[in-house]
């Protein structure tokens, strides 16, 4: 009993690294732009496909695949604000029209997912792991690939939070999140910060996709379930609070892996939904969020 | 207004005449399904177009209605007429239950929760083998009694039946949205929720009312789909269904009801037509239509009519 508890805890911890890569980016984008990116999972899938293209089609080393996924999704992400969000914002003028942004990113999600299907087909593509081998921990064994995901997540998220804390550009991102008008008055170039934030957020998902490709395989809808889980995580951590999302990622992943001891594994996806509903009922601001108006 | 009303009557008459003018099984199949989609798109519009609360779970409510109707008829021998009502009632009930935690708050929580809900409904449909038949779904259950037996005559009668139910349902929705104080409350919530509340509108109650009506009519559309197609499988609850229905509503014009109906009829035709080009292109087109219309033509096709 204790052994299996420990085993599931470790597996949950490792999965949490992936959730954090994914959900922190989503939460950052929401915090700065007030836009929920429904297409976040598609950037995860694109990261996986870029890794597949680099490693399997071009026979490049695994690390290049991950780097390619990061750069590729970053560049795609740079286009999202100027091409989609800014034109809608211009048309709406000053009016906050949250619902339309949701519909817009849903359209982007459908468009990207079915484009991937058209270009790459619906097959499950296999990508060789960037690192091979298994770490034997006595109670459980963890593949080095999974540890790599956790390690890269730790490094990237530390870098992200350091960037937001110390780098002038990162300070500008936080200033815009707090008060866009005041930030603009201080000479911050809003469109630039918005574009950069989306690109950073989706690039984190893209790296996650490249690293998870050897574990999940790659197919067009691979990122979609993650989007739903990330919604639960952002509600749990507090909407638009990246640090809260980081903590919440591990809470949800550990809860999911422990749930296997109680409910059959095919019902595991219920956990994220239950977390969402319970949090909205009990503490809608999330564990660390700003107060929510009722 | 008069011109538009005349146009509407003419359109409705043309729609009813279609099976007489083109009594071809393929045309009838496409037309009947398009009319069912029109009801689903209108139900989404009642919620999202009128109150501004976005549901990403309409695939789930549609599936819920379809499964409830099909399972009741297959396992308990329930009459299809009752099955339709049962499907609508269950969808509305589930809508109320899941809407409550999200709708008492301001913000976009409904979208997040309903996206999760649709996925849960798909999960249950896939895994609850005894009731839902798992991945293969429910088939071999009877449809409406008393329709003519001949293949073509049956399809024609079915088409007219579906048109009658859908026209009736959309008329009820139109009454609620345009002729009652509830409709005014819906629009007040969409324009400015805080202001609506200040003016004494019980926003939570009206949002819940809109959501229950919306999910109920989505369930009714699901029931019609089940009795028409005679097969309900978990694919119905997939996210593509939600994208398609939102695409139809955005294409036609949010917050008008007749716009989404028109959008559904046209986009479903396009959607099926693109199958001949390649199965994957139809959803690319739907995604593209959503993005372009939201950004550049937010009033949809309905808006073109208004400015002309």
């Amino acid at each position: 009993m204790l052994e299996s508890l420990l085993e599931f805890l470790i597996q949950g911890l490792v999965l949490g690294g992936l959730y954090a890569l994914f959900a922190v980016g989503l939460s950052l984008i929401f915090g700065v732009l007030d836009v929920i990116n429904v297409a976040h999972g598609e950037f995860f899938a694109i990261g996986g496909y870029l890794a597949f293209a680099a490693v399997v089609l071009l026979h490049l080393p695994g690390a290049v695949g991950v780097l390619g996924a990061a750069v590729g999704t970053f560049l795609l992400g740079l286009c999202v604000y100027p091409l989609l969000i800014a034109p809608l914002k211009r048309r709406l003028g000053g009016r906050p029209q949250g619902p339309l942004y949701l519909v817009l990113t849903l359209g982007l999600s459908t468009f990207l997912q079915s484009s991937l299907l058209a270009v790459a087909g619906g097959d499950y593509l296999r990508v060789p792991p960037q690192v091979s081998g298994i770490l034997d921990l006595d109670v459980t064994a963890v593949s080095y690939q999974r540890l790599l995901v956790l390690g890269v997540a730790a490094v990237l998220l530390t870098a992200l939070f350091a960037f937001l804390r110390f780098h002038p550009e990162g300070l500008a991102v936080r200033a815009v999140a707090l008060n866009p008008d005041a930030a603009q008055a201080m000479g911050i170039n809003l469109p630039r910060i918005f574009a950069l934030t989306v690109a950073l957020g989706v690039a984190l998902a893209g790296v996650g996709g490249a690293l998870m490709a050897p574990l999940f395989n790659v197919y067009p809808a691979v990122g979609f379930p993650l989007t739903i889980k990330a919604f639960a995580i952002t509600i749990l951590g507090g909407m638009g609070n990246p640090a809260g999302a980081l903590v919440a990622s591990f809470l949800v992943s550990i809860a999911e892996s422990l749930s296997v001891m109680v409910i059959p594994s095919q019902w595991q996806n219920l956990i994220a939904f239950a977390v969402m509903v319970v949090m909205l009922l009990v503490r809608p601001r999330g564990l660390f969020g700003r107060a929510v108006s009722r | 207004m008069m011109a538009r009303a005349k146009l509407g009557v003419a359109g409705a008459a043309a729609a009813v005449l279609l099976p007489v003018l083109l009594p071809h099984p393929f045309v009838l199949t496409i037309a009947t399904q398009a009319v069912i989609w029109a009801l689903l798109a209108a139900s989404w519009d009642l919620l999202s177009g009128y109150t501004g609360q976005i549901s990403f779970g309409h695939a789930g409510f549609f599936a819920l209605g379809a499964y409830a109707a099909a399972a009741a008829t297959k396992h308990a021998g329930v009459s299809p007429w009752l099955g339709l009502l049962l499907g609508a009632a269950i969808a509305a009930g589930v809508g109320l239950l899941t809407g409550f935690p999200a709708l008492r708050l301001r913000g976009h929580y409904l979208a997040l929760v309903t996206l999760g809900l649709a996925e849960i409904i798909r999960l249950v449909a896939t895994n609850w083998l005894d009731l839902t038949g798992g991945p293969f779904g429910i088939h071999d259950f009877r449809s409406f009694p008393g329709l003519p037996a001949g293949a073509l005559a049956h399809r024609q009668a079915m088409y007219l039946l579906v048109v009658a139910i859908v026209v009736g349902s959309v008329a009820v929705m139109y009454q609620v949205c345009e002729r009652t104080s509830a409709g005014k409350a819906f629009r007040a919530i969409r324009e400015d929720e805080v202001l609506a509340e200040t003016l004494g509108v019980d926003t939570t109650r009206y949002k819940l009312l809109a959501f229950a009506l919306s999910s109920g009519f989505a369930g009714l559309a699901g029931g019609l789909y089940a009795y028409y197609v005679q097969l309900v499988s978990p694919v119905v609850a997939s996210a593509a269904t939600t994208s398609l229905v939102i695409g139809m509503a955005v294409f036609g014009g949010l917050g008008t009801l007749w716009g989404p109906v028109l959008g559904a009829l046209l986009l479903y035709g396009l959607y099926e037509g693109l199958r001949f080009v390649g199965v994957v292109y139809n959803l690319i087109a739907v995604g593209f239509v959503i993005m372009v219309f939201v950004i550049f033509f937010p009033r949809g096709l309905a808006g073109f009519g208004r400015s002309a």
Side-chain angles (χ1 to χ4, degrees):
Chain A
M1 178 66 193
L2 194 67
E3 276 204 350
S4 54
L5 191 73
L6 204 59
E7 178 184 350
F8 289 129
L9 260 178
I10 293 170
Q11 300 293 354
L13 200 67
V14 173
L15 189 63
L18 167 70
Y19 287 7
L21 266 184
F22 193 90
V24 168
L26 186 77
S27 192
L28 181 70
I29 294 173
F30 178 76
V32 176
L33 285 91
D34 214 7
V35 170
I36 295 170
N37 181 20
V38 184
H40 213 62
E42 279 54 57
F43 288 95
F44 177 89
I46 291 171
Y49 277 109
L50 288 174
F52 175 83
V55 177
V56 178
L57 301 181
L58 302 174
H59 307 289
L60 295 168
V64 178
V66 178
L67 199 67
V71 174
T73 47
F74 184 86
L75 292 178
L76 266 181
L78 272 184
C79 308
V80 171
Y81 180 78
L83 288 185
L84 299 176
I85 299 173
L88 179 57
K89 209 174 224 179
R90 260 198 302 279
R91 192 179 58 68
L92 292 172
R95 280 205 314 163
Q97 263 288 10
L100 287 182
Y101 292 114
L102 273 169
V103 175
L104 179 67
T105 57
L106 176 84
L108 179 64
S109 161
T110 306
F111 179 76
L112 289 177
Q113 204 182 106
S114 36
S115 300
L116 287 175
L117 187 64
V119 173
D123 296 334
Y124 285 44
L125 303 178
R126 295 196 62 83
V127 179
Q130 283 93 14
V131 289
S132 53
I134 283 174
L135 176 68
D136 194 352
L137 286 173
D138 232 32
V139 286
T140 181
V142 184
S143 68
Y144 282 120
Q145 181 70 27
R146 282 183 179 268
L147 289 177
L148 179 71
V149 179
L150 187 61
V152 172
V155 170
L156 285 182
L157 292 176
T158 309
L160 176 74
F161 284 110
F163 169 75
L164 291 175
R165 185 108 185 76
F166 301 114
H167 194 277
E169 206 80 52
L171 289 173
V173 169
R174 281 169 58 214
V176 174
L178 280 175
N179 188 335
D181 295 332
Q184 191 168 32
M186 299 306 289
I188 291 173
N189 182 349
L190 284 188
R192 186 188 144 87
I193 294 299
F194 286 146
L196 178 74
T197 305
V198 177
L200 275 178
V202 301
L204 289 177
V207 171
L211 291 170
M212 287 309 280
L215 300 165
F216 281 7
N217 293 332
V218 183
Y219 51 97
V222 63
F224 192 70
L226 273 175
T227 305
I228 297 175
K229 285 177 191 182
F231 284 175
I233 289 168
T234 47
I235 289 178
L236 180 62
M239 300 286 287
N241 178 345
L246 176 67
V247 178
S249 297
F250 286 96
L251 293 179
V252 168
S253 69
I254 289 171
E256 277 188 347
S257 66
L258 289 183
S259 76
V260 178
M261 299 171 72
V262 194
I263 56 173
S265 62
Q266 72 262 35
W267 298 105
Q268 209 183 38
N269 286 345
L270 275 173
I271 302 289
F273 182 67
V275 164
M276 232 183 309
V277 171
V278 170
M279 282 310 286
L280 290 184
L281 284 173
V282 179
R283 196 180 158 85
R285 67 166 80 170
L287 296 175
F288 317 100
R290 298 169 284 203
V292 172
S293 40
R294 310 241 316 219
Chain B
M1 187 64 212
M2 274 311 288
R4 219 205 303 165
K6 270 182 200 159
L7 200 73
V9 172
V16 174
L17 280 176
L18 183 89
V20 189
L21 298 173
L22 289 164
H24 187 279
F26 180 72
V27 174
L28 276 171
T29 302
I30 299 287
T32 312
Q33 294 202 32
V35 173
I36 295 173
W37 280 98
L39 176 57
L40 188 59
S43 78
W44 189 82
D45 191 40
L46 174 109
L47 174 75
S48 303
Y50 276 87
T51 71
Q53 306 291 312
I54 301 291
S55 161
F56 281 160
H58 265 51
F61 299 118
F62 185 68
L64 213 52
Y67 268 107
T73 299
K74 185 172 171 94
H75 299 305
V78 169
S79 139
W81 297 107
L82 271 179
L84 280 182
L85 291 180
L86 185 73
I90 287 181
V94 171
L96 265 183
L97 276 180
T98 46
F100 177 73
L103 289 176
R104 53 193 196 102
L105 308 166
R106 253 197 323 268
H108 309 309
Y109 296 106
L110 188 70
L112 308 189
V113 170
T114 47
L115 190 74
L117 177 72
E119 198 58 19
I120 297 299
I121 289 172
R122 204 175 62 85
L123 198 69
V124 172
T126 316
N127 290 314
W128 191 356
L129 297 180
D130 294 339
L131 188 74
T132 66
F136 301 109
I138 308 180
H139 42 85
D140 292 329
F141 52 92
R142 68 199 169 87
S143 188
F144 297 99
L147 296 185
L152 193 64
H154 180 85
R155 278 176 199 275
Q156 281 175 313
M158 196 73 195
Y159 169 80
L160 288 173
L161 184 68
V162 167
V163 167
I165 293 174
V166 169
V167 168
S169 304
V170 174
V172 169
M173 286 190 252
Y174 194 81
Q175 280 295 322
V176 172
C177 289
E178 301 287 345
R179 301 265 191 280
T180 66
S181 58
K184 286 193 186 112
F186 293 169
R187 273 169 287 169
I189 291 168
R190 177 186 67 196
E191 293 306 323
D192 192 333
E193 202 173 333
V194 182
L195 184 61
E197 214 161 297
T198 318
L199 293 174
V201 176
D202 186 344
T203 53
T204 303
R205 216 180 95 206
Y206 281 110
K207 283 192 285 184
L208 277 173
L209 174 68
F211 192 44
L213 282 173
S214 175
S215 47
F217 280 113
L220 181 67
L224 282 175
Y225 175 86
Y227 293 121
Y228 180 70
V229 178
Q230 297 278 301
L231 167 71
V232 186
S233 72
V235 183
V236 174
S238 69
T241 303
T242 297
S243 299
L244 180 56
V245 75
I246 294 178
M248 290 164 169
V250 171
F251 186 45
L254 297 179
T256 58
L257 284 178
W258 64 273
V261 167
L262 183 68
L265 299 179
L266 294 177
L267 197 60
Y268 190 74
L270 178 72
Y271 188 79
E272 289 298 314
L274 279 174
R275 274 186 205 275
F276 294 110
V277 186
V279 231
V280 296
Y281 296 106
N282 45 18
L283 271 175
I284 298 183
V286 168
F288 190 73
V289 162
I290 293 177
M291 290 191 291
V292 168
F293 272 71
V294 163
I295 297 176
F296 299 107
F297 312 106
R299 291 166 148 211
L301 298 176
F304 295 135
R306 209 168 299 166
S307 57

